[in-house]
């Protein structure tokens, strides 16, 4: 068999208050890998797109996820990978999870497609845990399945596909610095006030419901996160001003994407989306941070083979 090509979309996970449980696949950004069968070992022969990612097979989430899939299949074969990184590492856009999703998908495809995409979430999440320091599927699940997902990180994982909100536009603003998930998890509070717990729980449940019902207005009323966002805000220079600039430009909600430092804002108006992106970029510049913004929709199909 020759080379195959696989694309895995970026994701927001957590969506606002749904810490470690709610995730959303987004279009525009993603990782692409090529893979082919070889004898015995798993190797990465090329990484393009971004510097600084490990080529060692036991350190990169593409190869770790592939190795987990081969283990699950009970076979001792090899794969060569070429990785085209499209998601900036350490940006809060689920880059390591997308790589893991692509690696798991490719291994399964090359060796007989024995598992469903849902069954690949476990191996991909094990691989992501290697770099994030925690076992949670709020990026791997949407990246593999597409749309919004609800997951519980117990063994076995509980995974529910929630669907899409058709009119939703997500403005992602990605500042030019890395924030490691491990570091962003160290600042999390050990105890939570009951009032904040109730507010976040209600909002997270309502977000799940909003995606299931394709209800943009309900979603737009539920982004507020009283627990994780305030704890992480100080890790992102200018966070409060950037968020304010998004809301002033007409966004219906704004929060940190995953562990940050990217922010996401939502609207259902194309023109406003551009204005929101520009306003957030200008605001980051006031904190001496270059940034890029992307107007995205949800990625409906998730990880898939690229047909050429
Ligand atoms: N849910 C995780 C976090 C995702 O927010 O720490 C990190 O990519």
């Amino acid at each position: 068999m020759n080379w195959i090509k696989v694309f895995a979309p970026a994701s927001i996970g957590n969506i606002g208050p749904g810490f470690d449980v709610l995730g959303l696949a987004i279009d525009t950004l993603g990782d692409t890998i090529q893979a082919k069968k070889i004898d015995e070992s798993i190797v990465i022969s090329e990484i393009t797109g971004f510097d600084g990612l490990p080529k060692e097979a036991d350190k990169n989430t593409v190869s770790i996820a592939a190795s987990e899939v081969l283990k699950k299949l009970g076979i001792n074969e090899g794969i060569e990978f070429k990785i085209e990184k499209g998601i900036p590492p350490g940006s809060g856009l689920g880059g390591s999870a997308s790589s893991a999703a692509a690696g798991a998908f490719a291994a399964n495809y090359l060796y007989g497609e024995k598992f469903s995409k849902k069954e690949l979430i476990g191996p991909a999440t094990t691989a992501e845990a290697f770099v994030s320091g925690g076992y949670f599927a709020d990026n791997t699940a949407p990246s593999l399945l597409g749309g919004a997902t609800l997951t519980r990180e117990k063994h076995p994982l509980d995974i529910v596909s929630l669907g899409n909100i058709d009119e939703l536009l997500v403005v992602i603003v990605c500042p030019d610095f890395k924030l490691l998930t491990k570091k962003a998890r160290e600042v999390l509070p050990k105890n939570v006030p009951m009032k904040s717990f109730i507010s976040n729980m209600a909002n997270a449940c309502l977000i799940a419901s909003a995606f299931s019902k394709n209800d943009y207005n309900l979603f737009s009323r539920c982004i507020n996160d009283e627990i994780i966002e305030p704890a992480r805000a100080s890790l992102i220079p200018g966070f409060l001003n950037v968020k304010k600039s998004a809301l002033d430009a007409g966004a219906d909600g704004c929060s940190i994407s995953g562990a940050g430092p990217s922010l996401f804002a939502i609207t259902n108006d194309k023109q406003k989306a551009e204005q929101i992106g520009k306003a957030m970029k200008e605001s980051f510049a006031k904190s001496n941070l270059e940034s890029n913004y992307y107007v995205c929709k949800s990625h409906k199909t998730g990880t898939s083979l690229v047909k050429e």
Side-chain angles (χ1 to χ4, degrees):
M1 192 186 273
N2 289 329
W3 289 97
I4 60 160
K5 205 177 214 189
V6 174
F7 175 81
S11 56
I12 296 173
N14 341 290
I15 311 177
F19 182 67
D20 277 359
V21 301
L22 281 174
L24 175 68
I26 49 167
D27 65 9
T28 311
L29 290 162
D31 288 348
T32 307
I33 63 165
Q34 293 184 63
K36 74 168 181 185
K37 280 183 180 179
I38 56 171
D39 291 336
E40 285 178 30
S41 55
I42 296 184
V43 294
I44 298 170
S45 55
E46 186 180 294
I47 303 179
T48 54
F50 288 93
D51 295 332
L53 290 164
K55 260 190 177 177
E56 295 94 325
D58 60 344
K59 295 203 173 76
N60 192 300
T61 58
V62 170
S63 35
I64 300 173
S67 158
E68 288 295 316
V69 170
L70 296 190
K71 230 189 276 168
K72 208 167 137 89
L73 285 167
I75 56 176
N76 190 21
E77 305 276 350
I79 305 176
E80 178 181 347
F81 286 111
K82 291 181 182 174
I83 303 169
E84 198 183 316
K85 199 70 197 154
I87 305 171
S91 62
L93 297 172
S96 48
S98 299
S99 287
F105 185 96
N108 185 48
Y109 186 86
L110 288 173
Y111 287 100
E113 288 187 273
K114 299 277 190 310
F115 302 123
S116 67
K117 287 208 280 184
K118 212 170 180 181
E119 288 168 320
L120 297 175
I121 294 169
T125 306
T126 300
E128 201 209 342
F130 180 82
V131 292
S132 68
Y135 188 82
F136 39 79
D138 57 344
N139 289 111
T140 51
S143 187
L144 271 158
L145 303 178
T149 57
L150 178 60
T151 50
R152 185 175 50 180
E153 72 280 13
K154 289 271 179 271
H155 291 281
L157 285 164
D158 275 308
I159 301 153
V160 179
S161 277
L162 296 169
N164 288 286
I165 295 176
D166 293 327
E167 62 184 292
L168 171 65
L169 294 171
V170 183
V171 183
I172 300 283
V173 183
C174 181
D176 188 19
F177 81 99
K178 265 191 199 176
L179 179 54
L180 293 180
T181 299
K182 270 182 191 161
K183 186 175 169 201
R185 292 179 85 81
E186 279 165 18
V187 302
L188 299 177
K190 299 276 176 284
N191 298 297
V192 168
M194 181 59 83
K195 190 179 136 297
S196 302
F197 166 72
I198 294 168
S199 168
N200 269 36
M201 185 174 61
N203 282 337
C205 292
L206 287 167
I207 289 173
S209 179
F211 275 93
S212 303
K213 293 176 6 171
N214 197 355
D215 184 341
Y216 176 79
N217 290 329
L218 178 58
F219 180 44
S220 70
R221 297 196 297 275
C222 302
I223 309 284
N224 191 37
D225 166 13
E226 290 192 15
I227 300 169
I228 311 298
E229 185 185 297
R232 287 178 166 169
S234 63
L235 300 175
I236 304 170
F239 170 76
L240 288 176
N241 290 333
V242 181
K243 178 170 175 170
K244 183 173 183 304
S245 70
L247 299 175
D248 289 349
D252 293 316
C254 175
S255 190
I256 300 170
S257 177
S262 293
L263 265 59
F264 75 93
I266 65 158
T267 179
N268 58 355
D269 178 318
K270 244 185 176 169
Q271 246 182 340
K272 260 194 206 169
E274 289 296 331
Q275 288 158 6
I276 293 163
K278 281 182 194 147
M280 293 172 83
K281 185 177 163 71
E282 278 165 23
S283 191
F284 262 131
K286 287 184 188 149
S287 295
N288 297 318
L289 273 175
E290 286 293 317
S291 61
N292 291 313
Y293 76 88
Y294 309 90
V295 176
C296 310
K297 290 184 77 86
S298 80
H299 192 281
K300 293 195 173 147
T301 48
T303 303
S304 59
L305 210 58
V306 179
K307 299 222 168 82
E308 290 178 303

